[in-house]
Amino acid sequence: PDKFLNTCIDIGGNVGAFSVLFSNYCKKIISIEPYKPSYDYMVNIIKKFNITTIETVNKAISDVDGKMLEMSIGLGDDVDAKDITCVEKKDGMLSLGSIETISLESIIKEYESIDYLKVDCEGCEYDLLYGKDLSKINCLVVETHGGFIGGDSEKDLLEYLKSNFNYTFNDIEQM
């Protein structure tokens, strides 16, 4: 970014690479990661580099607070197979246990605005964003997963986001 940002949210924090990098550009980062081994690694990296501007949350992002979701990972060879997801478990997926949810609304209600929201949540992006009030979000970067949410839902989500933001879409499969 060309200016210092106040509040950034990293949904799908994984091992913290994005959050650690963005800590140089943002006063406060909320990094949300449901998978405990990745979350623990992120926390250790943040401590190692003595970064005090990142708040970590070990929950799954969802459209509601306090629900328990099952995490799973695909065992196949397709493009989404190795991603950990909290969408409905399908054949060929291995359970990784359950995790409590937190909603985007409960996070952003504390802030006047969110300068930057990164969403990489392996299929929960539709439930997270579609039909929601996104007026406090200044910049949204989202990776969609049509294989998890279905092609029609992905199209609906992208149309909804177009109506809420000045946008640029990049299709990685065509790059």
Side-chain angles (χ1 to χ4, degrees):
D2 58 356
K3 65 176 185 170
F4 209 73
L5 305 173
N6 287 318
T7 307
C8 301
I9 300 177
D10 181 4
I11 296 175
N14 197 285
V15 296
F18 176 86
S19 293
V20 168
L21 174 67
F22 246 59
S23 68
N24 294 305
Y25 305 101
C26 194
K27 292 179 185 174
K28 177 167 183 105
I29 298 173
I30 300 101
S31 187
I32 303 160
E33 173 55 42
Y35 186 53
K36 187 75 166 125
S38 296
Y39 174 83
D40 290 343
Y41 187 89
M42 173 175 56
V43 168
N44 287 332
I45 290 294
I46 292 166
K47 286 179 183 175
K48 177 180 178 179
F49 291 109
N50 197 29
I51 301 169
T52 59
T53 56
I54 302 173
E55 175 187 333
T56 59
V57 178
N58 184 215
K59 293 186 178 185
I61 197 76
S62 179
D63 56 340
V64 295
D65 291 315
K67 185 167 69 171
M68 294 303 289
L69 291 179
E70 182 179 4
M71 290 181 294
S72 55
I73 188 167
L75 300 174
D77 293 326
D78 68 348
V79 75
D80 289 328
K82 303 301 183 215
D83 291 331
I84 296 169
T85 184
C86 292
V87 299
E88 184 178 334
K89 186 179 169 200
K90 300 174 185 173
D91 289 340
M93 297 184 89
L94 175 69
S95 176
L96 298 174
S98 296
I99 187 74
E100 184 180 356
T101 64
I102 188 168
S103 69
L104 181 60
E105 288 85 357
S106 69
I107 296 168
I108 64 176
K109 74 180 178 185
E110 299 179 35
Y111 302 96
E112 191 173 309
S113 69
I114 304 300
D115 293 311
Y116 193 97
L117 173 62
K118 175 222 149 214
V119 178
D120 184 5
C121 57
E122 315 311 323
C124 77
E125 59 273 6
Y126 182 84
D127 290 338
L128 177 69
L129 300 170
Y130 187 78
K132 302 297 191 280
D133 177 8
L134 305 175
S135 61
K136 285 187 167 186
I137 301 167
N138 297 323
C139 180
L140 170 68
V141 176
V142 60
E143 179 180 291
T144 61
H145 293 269
F148 285 131
I149 65 174
D152 289 341
S153 294
E154 183 178 36
K155 289 176 189 169
D156 291 345
L157 174 60
L158 294 176
E159 287 301 317
Y160 179 74
L161 295 177
K162 284 181 190 179
S163 70
N164 281 274
F165 294 95
N166 293 325
Y167 64 92
T168 301
F169 288 107
N170 294 310
D171 186 341
I172 290 202
E173 292 175 3
Q174 295 179 359
M175 294 178 107

